[in-house]
Amino acid sequence: MTTRQRWILAADVGALMLIVAGLTSWARARQRLPRQVWWTVHLYTYLAIALAFAHQITIDGPFLTGWARTVWIALYVLIGGLILGYRALLPLERSLHHDLRVAKVVRESRDVVSVWVSGRELDRLRVRPGQFAQWRFLADGLAYESHPYSFPAPARDDLLRLTVKDLGDASALTARLRPGTRVLMDGPYGVMTPERVCATGRAVLVAGGVGVAPARALAEGLAADGARVDVVVRASDAGDFNM
């Protein structure tokens, strides 16, 4: 196999991987796939892009020589560096600096637990009511991937609280976390904060299931700002009520 054929084959494999990622994003397919499978497939899109890159600068095209080739390579290096920095290095540095660890796990209802995360200088994370973060717990069965969980209460200087509903293997394992487990956090994210959702001084929040978590945080934040807040919660029975 010639060098040209190898790079074309690599590009074909990359294209196939991108097609698979697109197909698994189809709503019906995603509903049937475990989140771990869906997440892994999309993680491989990074590899797909890398496989497709080499043939662009080694085979026919506008990026074989000269400044165009240099600029094209520089753009890939820049984007790769930004992804590595913001998706991996920055969350790692931030989590280690704040020394995030599981403080305790409290069961709120039959299928919802609150995980309290301790740390230092947590006010510098600037967590706002209504936001969420991507959480990765460095424990067996959980370290492989991160999961999005909301903040059900305003952050304290030394404690963060997140709420987890038992919807699969990962969330079930989260309920059995031990105090002292190291935590990696990417975030906070989200724009549904008190200053954005209420400009009239009065708000009605409607929530159900684990969605009660951000609604509770929003209610507390709005009330602290002097707004009048009514919260409507949908629950099948008293066991589902986890405010």
Side-chain angles (χ1 to χ4, degrees), residues 44-56:
Y44 275 95
T45 57
Y46 292 118
L47 177 59
I49 294 171
L51 289 173
F53 168 70
H55 89 284
Q56 300 172 23

Side-chain angles (χ1 to χ4, degrees), residues 211-228:
V212 172
R216 169 183 170 156
L218 270 175
E220 291 190 26
L222 289 167
D225 291 340
R228 176 180 173 180

Side-chain angles (χ1 to χ4, degrees), residues 121-161:
E121 300 178 337
L122 299 184
D123 56 313
R124 295 181 60 184
L125 292 174
R126 299 180 181 178
V127 175
R128 298 290 296 138
Q131 291 188 309
F132 71 96
Q134 294 283 347
W135 299 90
R136 188 189 303 268
F137 302 99
L138 302 188
D140 290 342
L142 293 172
Y144 173 64
E145 61 177 323
S146 61
H147 292 267
Y149 297 128
S150 298
F151 299 97
R156 291 159 47 178
D157 290 345
D158 59 345
L159 280 176
L160 295 171
R161 179 185 172 193

Side-chain angles (χ1 to χ4, degrees), residues 204-213 215-216 219 230-238 240-243:
V204 177
L205 305 179
V206 181
V210 76
V212 172
R216 169 183 170 156
D230 295 304
V231 181
V232 180
V233 176
R234 186 267 182 193
S236 300
D237 52 49
D240 284 339
F241 191 75
N242 49 71
M243 285 288 283

